[in-house]
Each structure stands twice: as C-alpha cells, then as structure tokens.
C-alpha cells in the first residue's frame, strides 16, 4: 500500500508546488500550462480508512486528472501518511520524509520522525521567564520543547495579553485568553489526549488548546509546516524549568 502511495506522491510533485502556496521564481520560466480536470467522483481510502484531502483552511480538494493520471496536492497526501514534507522555494525542491534545509542551530536528540528537542540557552531561558513575569498571575513560563527539524527558535516577546515565541517557520503564543472561542473550526484530539481546535481567522490555519490555566496557539506564518507537524509540536509545550 505504502509503495503504491509513494508512487502517487512522486507523480504529484509537479502539482505539488501548492505545498507552500507559491512557486517562487520558478513560476515564469518552468511552469507549463495544461488542460486538466477536477474529478469530484474519486474517493480515497488509506489503510482501510476514508481519506478526504483538504487544504489548510479545511476546504475539500478534488484530485486532478491529466493524461489518464490522477494527481493530489503533496501537502494533503503527506499529512494523511504522517510524512513530513519540505519545499525549498529557492531551489524548487520538494523533499518528503527528510527536510532539505539544515537544522539551523537546533540541538538535542531526535524525538520523532521530523522533530528535534529545542535546547534553550541560559540567556534565552532568562528572556522567556522575563516576558512571562510581565503578567500578574501569569508568571509561570511555558515553552515548546520540540520543533520541526528545519526550524529554529528566533525570539520571544510579550505583547497584548500573550507571550509569543517566534521560530523560523512557526509562532507559538501562550495566553490566558481563548482566541479560538469566537471562530468555527475543526476539533481534533492530540496524541496526548488533549482536545484542540483548528480554525482560520484569516489566511493561516491556527491550532489552539488549553494547557493548565492558559491557552496555547500554534501556526506556521509562512505555511511551510503541515497541520500534523504543528500538532506534534503542540504536545511538547510545557512548563519551563
């Protein structure tokens, strides 16, 4: 089954520029216009379970039929197979399974197929605790303890009613407020049993869940991380010792 699906993924790489929503500098020179069809009559099952491909906003995607071949967006299929997918907009290379970008300074043991432990320096820990200390009754510091391999921690800052962790490919916000409350969305259960909610207030899908007396929100600001990857990172958010 996996070998057959792998073949489909490889065939879909041409269509797979939608993995990040942009084809970058390759759009003008290397894209060829074709005539194809969206086939709404095709349905999918993966390992016996029904699979409905969707985009980052949860909209249903129909497969494309072109020259007797069926194509699916790489991102949707990689999430269904729990495989990481990485798109390098500079080189135009899509990598499935192992990100093509370097580790960007993250250290620590591997904690999953596409996650590594985040090792905060002493000065970074002090900065994180300082930002949380700006809120009365909200001084206990929490932080993501894992990140996707090709991601790296950039900075932390308090603003409004939240503390925001900025990584290269994701943001993690910790707040006493439930930002997701007023939006419709999709409820999911994280691998640790915690209930979370996906919602899209603008053009970026966000994941929010309650952790102790606060709410944690994760999203990929450049749309390079999949929902499955962010859900894995979400499980790692914990008190910072």
């Amino acid at each position: 089954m996996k070998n057959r699906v792998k073949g489909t993924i490889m065939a879909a790489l041409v269509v797979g520029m939608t993995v990040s929503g942009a084809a970058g500098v390759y759009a003008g020179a290397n894209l060829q216009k074709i005539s194809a069809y969206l086939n709404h009559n095709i349905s999918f099952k993966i390992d016996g379970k029904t699979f409905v491909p969707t985009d980052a906003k949860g909209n249903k995607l129909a497969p494309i039929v072109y020259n007797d071949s069926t194509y699916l967006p790489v991102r949707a299929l990689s999430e269904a197979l729990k495989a990481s997918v990485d798109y390098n907009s500079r080189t135009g290379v899509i990598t499935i399974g192992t990100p093509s970008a370097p580790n960007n300074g993250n250290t620590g043991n591997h904690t999953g197929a596409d996650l590594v432990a985040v090792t905060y320096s002493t000065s970074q820990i002090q900065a994180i605790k300082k930002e949380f200390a700006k809120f009365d009754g909200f001084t206990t510091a929490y932080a993501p303890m894992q990140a996707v391999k090709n991601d790296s921690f950039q900075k932390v800052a308090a603003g409004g009613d939240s503390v925001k962790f900025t990584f290269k490919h994701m943001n993690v916000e910790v707040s006493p407020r439930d930002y997701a409350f007023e939006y419709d969305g999709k409820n999911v259960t994280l691998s640790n049993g915690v209930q979370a909610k996906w919602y899209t207030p603008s053009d970026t899908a966000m994941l929010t869940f309650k952790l102790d007396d606060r709410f944690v929100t994760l999203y990929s600001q450049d749309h390079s991380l999949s929902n499955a990857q962010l859900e894995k990172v979400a499980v790692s958010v914990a008190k910072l010792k």
Side-chain angles (χ1 to χ4, degrees):
M1 170 63 189
K2 291 185 177 179
N3 288 337
R4 292 199 300 272
V5 173
K6 182 179 179 181
T8 304
I9 293 176
M10 297 306 294
L13 288 182
V14 175
V15 182
M17 284 298 184
T18 57
V19 68
S20 67
V25 297
Y26 294 86
N30 296 321
L31 290 185
Q32 179 181 352
K33 186 177 180 179
I34 63 172
S35 293
Y37 297 91
L38 293 174
N39 192 331
H40 297 277
N41 292 324
I42 295 178
S43 60
F44 300 89
K45 284 191 175 182
I46 295 180
D47 293 333
K49 297 181 180 179
T50 299
F51 165 57
V52 179
T54 58
D55 61 18
K57 297 182 180 180
N59 299 316
K60 183 178 178 180
L61 297 173
I64 293 174
V65 177
Y66 173 68
N67 281 354
D68 296 324
S69 293
T70 302
Y71 296 82
L72 276 174
V74 173
R75 176 71 70 194
L77 200 52
S78 69
E79 289 183 7
L81 299 176
K82 306 300 182 183
S84 63
V85 59
D86 176 67
Y87 173 54
N88 189 319
S89 60
R90 182 178 61 83
T91 63
V93 174
I94 295 175
T95 303
I96 298 175
T98 303
S100 59
N103 201 22
N104 295 320
N106 276 339
T107 58
N109 297 325
H110 292 283
T111 55
D114 55 354
L115 298 185
V116 293
V118 179
T119 303
Y120 297 103
S121 67
T122 300
S123 61
Q124 288 173 334
I125 292 175
Q126 292 174 346
I128 293 170
K129 291 183 176 181
K130 180 179 178 181
E131 296 305 303
F132 276 93
K134 294 179 180 180
F135 297 91
D136 291 335
F138 190 58
T139 56
T140 302
Y142 284 69
M145 301 303 176
Q146 296 178 9
V148 177
K149 290 179 184 177
N150 65 332
D151 210 350
S152 59
F153 175 64
Q154 306 290 307
K155 63 180 180 179
V156 62
D161 59 358
S162 68
V163 175
K164 179 179 178 180
F165 292 80
T166 300
F167 285 71
K168 184 177 180 180
H169 297 299
M170 73 173 178
N171 288 329
V172 179
E173 298 186 24
V174 184
S175 171
R177 175 187 172 189
D178 181 7
Y179 292 107
F181 177 76
E182 56 187 302
Y183 295 97
D184 293 329
K186 177 182 178 182
N187 295 322
V188 295
T189 302
L190 303 180
S191 62
N192 60 354
V194 172
Q195 297 298 306
K197 178 180 178 180
W198 279 106
Y199 64 105
T200 309
S202 57
D203 63 345
T204 301
M206 296 185 173
L207 177 69
T208 292
F209 64 96
K210 188 174 182 181
L211 179 60
D212 297 334
D213 61 346
R214 59 203 68 198
F215 293 88
V216 181
T217 299
L218 302 90
Y219 56 96
S220 179
Q221 64 273 21
D222 61 2
H223 299 174
S224 66
L225 303 186
S226 69
N227 289 7
Q229 288 173 315
L230 289 174
E231 288 179 12
K232 290 179 182 178
V233 174
V235 176
S236 77
V237 179
K239 290 180 182 180
L240 187 64
K241 296 180 180 180

